């Protein structure tokens, strides 16, 4: 009896293996039909993505090195050699923006003066209300939710990716504007995703409201679009290559009626 079991086992194992092989072949041929969603998409617009120093072809150029005509108070700042230096006044775009992608380059002063919030302070305000802090945070400690790249007094950057004083740095920011109900309550909050020198510092951060120096964050109903402003905080920060894109929403596909 024990001999029969001993000889039957290899045969059983071989048959099992064959069965598994055939079922695998059957399953793979069943899966070979390609899945398609059936959604009809518009073709994604073809753009020229630009270069390290030029904007994408679908961008609104706010500063290309020549003038700050796109901004109110733009004539207050100094412009030389394709670079605009903060001087005397905060500048605001004449055009208003809601959801957008913003690119700019900045350099904090090569000559280090002051410390904490007093060193190389400026800032990018979306809708004139929501500040992503610009500061010289290279070997310069301050409160973490007020250092360079912070959503001011709401969220520090995930890392400190600052370059040294005088060195050019990049900021690439995606801003989603808040939406409000008729009664002034928040329908959906604002969000920011940001890269500092190519490094992610905010990943779809949900803003708690406007960023204030002297009060907690809170929302107040406002129009769908407002200016982007760049802060004068008394320090000669340099800026160049500033552009914004509004074409950032998902394409709208349609499923044909059955
Ligand atoms: Mg600031």
């Amino acid at each position: 009896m024990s001999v029969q079991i001993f000889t039957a086992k290899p045969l059983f194992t071989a048959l099992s293996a064959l069965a598994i092989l055939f079922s695998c072949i059957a399953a793979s041929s069943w899966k070979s039909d390609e899945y398609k969603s059936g959604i009809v998409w518009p073709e994604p617009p073809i753009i020229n993505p630009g270069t390290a120093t030029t904007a994408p072809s679908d961008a609104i150029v706010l500063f290309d090195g020549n003038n700050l005509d796109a901004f109110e108070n733009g004539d207050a700042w100094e412009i030389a050699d394709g670079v605009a230096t903060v001087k005397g006044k905060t500048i605001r775009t004449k055009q208003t923006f809601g959801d957008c992608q913003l690119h700019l380059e900045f350099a904090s002063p090569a000559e280090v003066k002051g410390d904490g919030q007093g060193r190389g302070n400026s800032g990018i305000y979306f809708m004139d209300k929501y500040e992503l802090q610009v500061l010289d945070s290279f070997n310069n400690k301050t409160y973490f939710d007020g250092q360079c790249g912070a959503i001011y007094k709401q969220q520090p950057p995930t890392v400190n990716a600052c370059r040294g004083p005088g060195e050019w740095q990049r900021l690439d920011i995606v801003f989603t504007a808040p939406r409000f109900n008729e009664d002034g309550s928040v329908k959906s909050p604002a969000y920011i995703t940001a890269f500092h020198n190519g490094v992610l510092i905010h990943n779809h951060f949900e803003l708690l409201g406007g960023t204030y120096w002297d009060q907690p964050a809170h929302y107040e109903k406002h129009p769908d679009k407002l200016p982007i402003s760049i802060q004068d905080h008394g320090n000669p920060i340099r800026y160049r290559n500033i552009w914004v894109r509004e074409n950032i929403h998902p394409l709208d596909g349609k499923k044909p009626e059955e």
Side-chain angles (χ1 to χ4, degrees):
M1 195 65 177
S2 62
V3 174
Q4 274 182 336
I5 290 169
F6 183 75
T7 52
K9 196 173 180 184
L11 178 62
F12 177 76
T13 307
L15 286 173
S16 300
L18 271 175
I20 291 167
L21 180 65
F22 281 123
S23 63
C24 286
I25 290 167
S28 64
S29 62
W30 177 77
K31 280 184 178 173
S32 68
D33 288 341
E34 182 186 359
Y35 166 76
K36 287 188 176 176
S37 70
I39 296 170
V40 179
W41 298 103
E43 183 180 359
I46 297 166
I47 65 156
N48 180 332
T51 67
T53 55
T54 60
S57 59
D58 65 346
I60 297 161
V61 176
L62 299 177
F63 179 57
D64 65 359
N66 289 313
N67 61 65
L68 287 170
D69 290 353
F71 293 85
E72 286 174 13
N73 298 331
D75 53 358
W77 288 19
E78 279 181 3
I79 298 171
D81 302 324
V83 172
T85 304
V86 176
K87 193 175 179 188
K89 290 180 178 172
T90 291
I91 61 172
R92 284 183 180 78
T93 57
K94 293 173 181 171
Q95 188 170 343
T96 57
F97 299 95
D99 301 345
C100 62
Q101 171 190 357
L102 178 74
H103 169 91
L104 60 78
E105 291 149 37
F106 73 95
S108 48
E111 184 187 351
V112 174
K113 283 185 182 171
D115 56 15
Q117 293 289 306
R119 184 186 297 180
N121 197 333
S122 181
I124 314 303
Y125 284 80
F126 292 91
M127 311 196 90
D128 242 352
K129 299 174 188 310
Y130 308 102
E131 184 189 14
L132 188 137
Q133 175 71 302
V134 170
L135 193 76
D136 179 0
S137 289
F138 188 86
N139 291 333
N140 179 38
K141 281 269 170 66
T142 185
Y143 43 93
F144 299 135
D145 56 8
Q147 73 178 59
C148 190
I151 310 301
Y152 189 65
K153 290 190 176 172
Q154 294 189 28
Q155 183 70 35
T158 52
V159 293
N160 180 344
C162 277
R163 297 195 200 282
E167 289 190 62
W168 283 104
Q169 312 193 48
R170 287 173 292 145
L171 277 174
D172 291 279
I173 309 164
V174 180
F175 176 76
T176 302
R179 270 69 170 170
F180 296 93
N181 295 308
E182 284 290 312
D183 66 1
S185 59
V186 177
K187 190 173 178 184
S188 60
Y191 295 94
I192 282 182
T193 294
F195 296 84
H196 184 189
N197 295 323
V199 175
L200 185 72
I201 56 168
H202 297 289
N203 186 3
H204 202 57
F205 172 71
E206 181 181 322
L207 275 77
L208 308 173
T211 56
Y212 304 97
W213 178 71
D214 57 353
Q215 51 186 313
H218 63 275
Y219 282 104
E220 288 173 16
K221 188 174 192 283
H222 57 66
D224 295 341
K225 292 188 172 189
L226 286 167
I228 295 170
S229 51
I230 305 180
Q231 185 186 42
D232 164 40
H233 202 281
N235 302 141
I237 311 299
R238 295 180 294 149
Y239 286 96
R240 70 182 184 190
N241 200 20
I242 308 173
W243 50 259
V244 61
R245 295 181 60 249
E246 294 186 292
N247 182 23
I248 64 166
H249 299 109
L251 292 178
D252 194 12
K254 293 198 178 358
K255 198 148 194 168
E257 298 296 328
E258 301 278 353

